[in-house]
């Protein structure tokens, strides 16, 4: 029995087959890194703009797809993939450039759709028009890095946009029937116990199609590393994280697609927490806890009669 509605479940249910994602670097930067809003970026942002396993930025998109497909050739020799524009802010550029890179990905015979990671303050009317145009012809979703609804924590992590901006962008995307996924981080410095759950509930209210839950982990060469050295970061214990994730899952309707429930940092760059390096173990701990306690996604909503 599936205890939550994973992206795999969604793909199988919707397209009747397994579909992989290939991560691409579209050559973008970010207003939070290029000085438009700040030079520092979000405190957790890695050197590669939070896309450490993506294709090589100097290569054309088509070639990056080929290379990424080679990496998964043994386990996935022939199936379809979603081209995931992951690094930095993938709607931060002029419309012609955006269209060019998106279409280059969509021109690959094994690409059945695209996923675009961005910031809610980087979807202006021109970009929305382009996304709308593509969404009518192709399978597409957009990813928004919300991380938290606690505005003080958002300031601390240097997110550089207000919660209201997320809400407005969510509404504009929903009005165009464009699916969006919301990123949440569990274990941020200074967050309150209930912040991760409240953030997920807020995203749900705003119409999110999917949720990506990350655990806070410290990577080398990030601002978090500096904070860690100053003893300003406390690592959460694995079971604390597991319980918070499960609480979120219990409060998400069963039609919200769960894209991720753990982190995926580069192990070579990881400072801590150590347990986060064993992704399989974190996933197993979450499903084991759900099984032992007879929990499934959305069961708390059902108890409330929703
Ligand atoms: S918005 Fe994304 S790319 Fe920009 S600084 Fe934050 S994590 Fe990095």
């Amino acid at each position: 029995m599936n205890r939550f509605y994973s992206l795999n479940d969604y793909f199988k249910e919707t397209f009747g087959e397994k579909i992989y994602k290939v991560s691409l670097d579209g050559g973008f930067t970010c207003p939070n890194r290029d000085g438009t809003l700040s030079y520092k970026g979000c405190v957790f942002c890695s050197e590669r703009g939070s896309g450490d396993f993506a294709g090589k930025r100097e290569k054309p998109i088509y070639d990056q797809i080929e290379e990424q497909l080679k990496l998964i050739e043994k386990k996935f020799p022939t199936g379809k993939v979603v081209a995931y524009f992951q690094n930095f802010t993938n709607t931060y550029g002029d419309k012609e450039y955006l269209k060019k890179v998106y279409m280059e990905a969509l021109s690959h015979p094994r690409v059945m759709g695209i996923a675009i990671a961005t910031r809610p303050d980087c979807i202006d009317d021109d970009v929305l028009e382009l996304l709308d145009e593509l969404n009518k012809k192709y399978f597409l979703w957009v990813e928004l890095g919300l991380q938290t609804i606690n505005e003080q924590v958002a300031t601390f992590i240097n997110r550089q946009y207000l919660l209201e901006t997320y809400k407005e962008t969510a509404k504009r995307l929903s009005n165009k029937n464009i699916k969006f996924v919301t990123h949440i981080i569990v274990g941020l410095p200074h967050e309150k116990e209930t912040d991760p759950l409240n953030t997920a509930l807020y995203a749900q209210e705003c119409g999110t199609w999917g949720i990506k839950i990350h655990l806070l982990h410290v990577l080398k060469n990030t601002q978090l590393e500096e904070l860690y050295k100053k003893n300003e970061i406390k690592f959460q214990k694995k079971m604390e994280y597991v319980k918070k994730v499960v609480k979120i899952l219990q409060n998400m309707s069963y039609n919200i697609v769960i894209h991720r429930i753990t982190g995926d940092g580069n192990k070579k760059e990881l400072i801590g927490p150590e347990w986060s390096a064993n992704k399989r173990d974190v996933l197993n701990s979450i499903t084991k806890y759900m099984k032992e306690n007879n929990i499934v996604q959305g069961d708390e909503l059902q108890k409330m009669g929703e």
Side-chain angles (χ1 to χ4, degrees):
M1 154 186 198
N2 293 341
R3 299 207 165 253
F4 60 89
Y5 188 39
S6 69
L7 183 59
N8 267 342
D9 296 336
Y10 172 84
F11 281 144
K12 281 193 188 144
E13 189 182 289
T14 313
F15 302 104
E17 60 185 306
K18 195 166 178 63
I19 291 168
Y20 270 74
K21 278 190 307 180
V22 290
S23 296
L24 308 174
D25 186 328
F28 295 94
T29 178
C30 170
N32 203 11
R33 299 279 297 253
D34 71 1
T36 304
L37 296 169
S38 122
Y39 286 106
K40 289 183 178 170
C42 303
V43 288
F44 50 84
C45 190
S46 67
E47 275 174 308
R48 290 202 61 196
S50 296
D52 296 335
F53 304 108
K56 296 187 185 79
R57 116 176 326 233
E58 61 280 5
K59 299 226 165 162
I61 292 298
Y62 199 95
D63 296 0
Q64 287 187 39
I65 295 170
E66 289 285 302
E67 280 186 4
Q68 295 283 305
L69 286 173
K70 274 222 163 63
L71 296 176
I72 55 170
E73 197 173 23
K74 278 204 180 115
K75 59 178 175 184
F76 198 62
T78 54
K80 296 280 182 203
V81 295
V82 168
Y84 176 35
F85 288 87
Q86 183 177 22
N87 303 54
F88 296 96
T89 299
N90 295 276
T91 55
Y92 187 50
D94 79 66
K95 200 174 151 187
E96 288 316 306
Y97 178 74
L98 299 179
K99 191 167 184 175
K100 179 183 158 299
V101 289
Y102 300 158
M103 290 312 294
E104 191 176 337
L106 286 162
S107 73
H108 193 285
R110 284 184 64 188
V111 170
M112 54 72 75
I114 51 171
I116 301 165
T118 188
R119 297 167 54 89
D121 56 349
C122 287
I123 301 184
D124 63 18
D125 287 346
D126 275 357
V127 171
L128 187 67
E129 193 183 34
L130 173 62
L131 295 175
D132 184 32
E133 197 183 298
L134 294 172
N135 190 46
K136 285 177 178 145
K137 292 190 198 141
Y138 306 98
F139 178 70
L140 174 150
W141 77 74
V142 170
E143 300 199 1
L144 302 175
L146 173 62
Q147 326 307 359
T148 180
I149 56 164
N150 182 325
E151 291 284 45
Q152 280 162 349
V153 176
T155 303
F156 183 84
I157 63 171
N158 196 39
R159 190 183 66 191
Q160 292 284 352
Y161 71 80
L162 297 172
L163 184 58
E164 197 54 31
T165 308
Y166 167 84
K167 192 178 180 181
E168 280 164 18
T169 301
K171 197 168 170 198
R172 289 166 67 238
L173 290 167
S174 297
N175 286 343
K176 299 277 186 197
N177 288 319
I178 297 170
K179 293 183 281 305
F180 65 94
V181 173
T182 304
H183 289 234
I184 295 169
I185 301 180
V186 175
L188 286 168
H190 309 301
E191 81 181 10
K192 293 194 196 104
E193 179 77 19
T194 50
D195 282 348
L197 173 61
N198 288 337
T199 302
L201 288 170
Y202 187 85
Q204 177 163 251
E205 260 171 49
C206 289
T208 200
W209 165 70
I211 293 270
K212 253 188 186 179
I213 307 172
H214 302 263
L215 63 88
L216 185 84
H217 56 272
V218 177
L219 297 177
K220 287 178 194 159
N221 301 317
T222 60
Q223 288 174 71
L224 274 184
E225 183 186 12
E226 298 305 312
L227 293 168
Y228 176 72
K229 284 180 182 160
K230 288 189 217 152
N231 281 330
E232 285 189 43
I233 302 290
K234 265 204 331 207
F235 291 142
Q236 57 196 326
K237 298 206 167 61
K238 185 175 80 179
M239 279 319 287
E240 283 170 2
Y241 177 76
V242 166
K243 286 180 186 171
K244 283 183 188 164
V245 170
V246 171
K247 192 78 184 159
I248 291 173
L249 297 177
Q250 286 186 275
N251 283 280
M252 294 293 101
S253 312
Y254 203 82
N255 60 354
I256 291 197
V257 185
I258 310 301
H259 284 238
R260 172 178 291 283
I261 51 174
T262 183
D264 196 16
N266 185 345
K267 280 185 202 159
K268 285 186 204 143
E269 301 294 316
L270 182 70
I271 290 173
E274 245 175 70
W275 57 265
S276 72
N278 192 342
K279 198 174 143 191
R280 180 53 44 202
D281 176 60
V282 179
L283 292 174
N284 288 343
S285 302
I286 292 170
T287 44
K288 185 167 172 262
Y289 183 81
M290 291 181 90
K291 201 171 167 192
E292 281 169 0
N293 293 283
N294 199 22
I295 289 169
V296 290
Q297 182 176 338
D299 60 8
E300 291 213 338
L301 290 178
Q302 278 165 17
K303 276 184 218 151
M304 289 188 290
E306 288 188 41

